[in-house]
Amino acid sequence: MQNIISVKNLTKYFGKEKALEGMNFDVKQGEIFGFLGPSGAGKTTTIQILTGQLRPTDGEAKIFNADTENARKPEFLQKIGVMTDNSGLYGRLSVYENMKLFATLYGVKKPKERIEEALKMVNMQNEQKKTVSKLSKGMTQRIILARTFLHEPELLFLDEPTAALDPVNSQHIHKGLKALQKKGTTIFLTTHDMHEAETLCDRVAFLYKGAVKLLDAPKALRREYADNTMTLELYNGETRVISKGADGAEEVASFMQKNAIASMYTNEPTLGDIFVDITGRELT
Ligand SMILES: Nc1ncnc2c1ncn2[C@@H]1O[C@H](COP(=O)(O)OP(=O)(O)OP(=O)(O)O)[C@@H](O)[C@H]1O
């Protein structure tokens, strides 16, 4: 698959403050890529560089095979959608009017149908007439998200897309993002929600102090960090942690012969566990 984003040795200083240092990663066409890291790790700075709002101090950042200084040119703006916490919505206008304004700005064809479709994806199709200033925080966030993909961009940047949403609406957004992916959209998202990263992302990058420390598919990372043990819960209430190797096999077999096992599972860490591991103590 072709790289839609390519970052090599990217470095950014704000005066003496180091935000990014030697960052490397690629995002492939059509994937949902999770960018995870603690506060201050450099997520927003990276998005700002990739969307042409900031220039790097050193290194290379490309989208669609071109330097990101092009990202604000009209032909690139058509191809990318950016959702940040800076809403840019008009509070006195209705949801529909806001969407219509944006559709006009981006020359969206068949705006009425597109607005309907985008609002449906965020579960807001019945709120079109509502004044934006009267919406709840979660509703506002969903409108901002719908506006981000109204013009059907090829590449979406989403900074914590479900941060203010309840679980039902988060799930609705997840379905919407998967549907966009099926249509071929590449999605780059940041999230502090490890469950979201695990269910949604094809690959995740763990960021720490301005560099990528780990990058792989969630399943592969969980396997890599697994401790090679499994847990048996016995009917008598006891819990046994047993090696997954040959030496544990006899013990498991003996419990099985006695029909003593109520539950048995491998001890793979969650992405959250790995996150704490990486950010709690630096990888060597
Ligand atoms: N305009 C700026 N001037 C000075 N320092 C900045 C500026 N923007 C970011 N930084 C610094 O760069 C580092 C990375 O910040 P960034 O906002 O990219 O982190 P983040 O991972 O997005 O954090 P969060 O999860 O809190 O949004 C931080 O140390 C931050 O203080």
Side-chain angles (χ1 to χ4, degrees), residues 255-273:
F255 282 123
M256 283 177 117
Q257 272 156 9
K258 289 182 230 156
N259 200 19
I261 300 173
S263 168
M264 184 160 84
Y265 45 87
T266 58
N267 294 322
E268 284 175 11
T270 62
L271 277 192
D273 295 332

Side-chain angles (χ1 to χ4, degrees), residues 14 17-19 37-46 160 192:
F14 292 103
E17 178 88 28
K18 181 180 72 186
S39 188
K43 302 180 294 294
T44 307
T45 304
T46 307
E160 298 190 48
H192 288 289

Side-chain angles (χ1 to χ4, degrees), residues 18-23 35-43 46 205-214 274-284:
K18 181 180 72 186
L20 308 180
E21 196 176 42
M23 179 173 296
F35 211 47
L36 317 176
S39 188
K43 302 180 294 294
T46 307
F206 281 89
L207 211 65
Y208 188 55
K209 291 188 177 168
V212 171
K213 297 288 175 185
L214 265 187
I274 300 172
F275 181 92
V276 170
D277 200 29
I278 290 166
T279 58
R281 60 184 166 82
E282 206 166 348
L283 288 178
T284 49

Side-chain angles (χ1 to χ4, degrees), residues 95-115:
V95 167
Y96 183 82
E97 287 163 340
N98 266 284
M99 297 293 277
K100 185 77 200 304
L101 260 180
F102 196 75
T104 308
L105 195 67
Y106 275 81
V108 172
K109 293 187 186 99
K110 297 192 182 167
K112 207 161 180 285
E113 283 91 331
R114 271 304 299 151
I115 292 170

